[in-house]
Amino acid sequence: MNVLGLRAERRTVVLVAVLVALMLALGLIGLCYGASWSTPQKVFAALTGADHSVVISDWRLPRVLAGLVFGAALGVAGAIFQNLTRNPMGSPDVIGLDAGAYTGALVAITVLSGTSAQLAVGSVLGGLVVAAAIYLLSFDRGFSGLRLVVIGIAINAMVTAINSWIVLRADLEVAIAAVGWSAGSLNGVGWDDLGIPFSVIAVLLVVMATRAHAMHQASLGDAIAVTTGVGLDRLRLLMVLVGVGCTATVTAVAGPIAFIALAAPQIGRRLAGAAGVPLLPAALTGAVLLQGADLLAQMLLAPVALPVGVVSTAIGGCYLIWLLTKEVRRA
């Protein structure tokens, strides 16, 4: 048993090292790539301050860091809800949290002036309202992860319909902006957009890291969690708040970026060979997936940069078909 544990731990360490190397490589390519290619030497000079470049330091670097941090946040959010539901389909974009956060942002855009603060607050409130509705409807003489997923899918469909109605009722200019933003995009992200979201995500990730062990205990079953002293109700409430916070914070800045939260935790789990859905591999895999998807979005129709959500949805759709096929065969 100890040998198996050491092998799994060594595999996780190797996986983390490989994912970090991929993140650095993709980040370097992201800093080099653009309307004109910048050499790695020029990138290093710009990063160290030896040769200031507005394009690299003020345009490309915020986008690269946003892909890294937002991808990690979505990966962790997906891992949280997949552990909570004990179901690989239990991710924020499938059960409606993305749609709820988008509803809150739409209200901020169409009813209010749509400032960054209003978008952030609206996204968080929208995600929390949907999360509360799903949790209350799925709680029937006990908690059921499968019931939560099924109800979440139904609420996702209803909230998506509400979002479409809001866009159709909005003024033309507002509707066009809302539809473009709904695809999920890192285009035009700058330093002014990232200070508060990065701080919020950092706090949420630290909070979740302190409860990671309890979360994995709970994913093994309620009986095991209770015998090890885990307070399930408090833990589930914390997990929902952190998961919604990560999802809504990303949505407030970049729009709803689909399927990263669904795919990253399961890919990370399989690569790590873990029994549950570990947070660190999920976070690093999410960062790699979002960085890679954003680079593809910039390259496919260059010089026009596609919204990253278009690419992540295409990749995630293929992953979802594979996942459903595997689940059906297992059943």
Side-chain angles (χ1 to χ4, degrees):
M1 194 69 179
N2 290 334
V3 174
L4 292 176
L6 287 174
R7 286 179 180 174
E9 188 174 332
R10 187 180 304 144
R11 182 171 173 175
T12 301
V13 170
V14 172
L15 174 63
V16 168
V18 171
L19 291 175
V20 169
L22 278 174
M23 284 167 44
L24 294 175
L26 290 171
L28 178 59
I29 295 172
L31 292 173
C32 293
Y33 182 80
S36 60
W37 178 264
S38 300
T39 63
Q41 290 81 3
K42 188 174 181 179
V43 169
F44 290 132
L47 294 179
T48 57
D51 181 17
H52 180 68
S53 171
V54 173
V55 172
I56 295 173
S57 301
D58 297 337
W59 295 357
R60 297 178 186 171
L61 184 58
R63 182 173 189 146
V64 168
L65 292 179
L68 190 155
V69 175
F70 291 168
L74 291 174
V76 168
I80 287 172
F81 283 100
Q82 287 177 11
N83 275 303
L84 183 66
T85 61
R86 299 172 200 157
N87 192 312
M89 292 288 292
S91 73
D93 41 5
V94 172
I95 64 176
L97 300 186
D98 275 8
Y102 181 43
T103 304
L106 280 178
V107 171
I109 293 173
T110 56
V111 178
L112 305 175
S113 55
T115 63
S116 298
Q118 291 170 351
L119 283 173
V121 174
S123 297
V124 172
L125 290 178
L128 285 175
V129 168
V130 169
I134 295 170
Y135 191 87
L136 291 174
L137 290 172
S138 62
F139 194 90
D140 181 20
R141 291 173 296 177
F143 177 80
S144 169
L146 178 60
R147 190 162 55 237
L148 188 148
V149 171
V150 173
I151 291 174
I153 292 172
I155 289 184
N156 186 24
M158 291 187 288
V159 174
T160 300
I162 293 172
N163 292 342
S164 299
W165 179 81
I166 293 174
V167 171
L168 289 172
R169 298 285 295 177
D171 294 335
L172 181 59
E173 292 182 0
V174 175
I176 292 173
V179 170
W181 183 72
S182 69
S185 176
L186 298 179
N187 297 339
V189 171
W191 289 118
D192 293 340
D193 304 311
L194 300 180
I196 295 176
F198 278 10
S199 300
V200 171
I201 289 172
V203 171
L204 293 174
L205 295 185
V206 169
V207 169
M208 201 62 238
T210 62
R211 302 296 293 161
H213 180 70
M215 182 189 73
H216 292 308
Q217 291 291 100
S219 68
L220 298 176
D222 292 357
I224 296 177
V226 171
T227 56
T228 55
V230 176
L232 286 176
D233 292 336
R234 291 193 303 272
L235 177 63
R236 285 170 179 158
L237 176 61
L238 177 65
M239 290 169 68
V240 169
L241 291 176
V242 172
V244 171
C246 287
T247 303
T249 302
V250 174
T251 302
V253 179
I257 301 175
F259 286 111
I260 298 295
L262 173 68
Q266 290 300 312
I267 293 174
R269 180 185 71 84
R270 294 175 188 280
L271 291 175
V277 186
L279 292 179
L280 184 57
L284 296 178
T285 304
V288 169
L289 287 178
L290 188 54
Q291 283 182 305
D294 189 46
L295 277 173
L296 281 176
Q298 295 178 64
M299 294 176 180
L300 285 175
L301 296 179
V304 177
L306 291 173
V308 66
V310 174
V311 177
S312 68
T313 300
I315 296 173
C318 297
Y319 168 80
L320 183 58
I321 291 172
W322 173 83
L323 179 62
L324 291 174
T325 303
K326 186 163 186 175
E327 290 297 315
V328 168
R329 287 177 180 174
R330 181 182 299 174

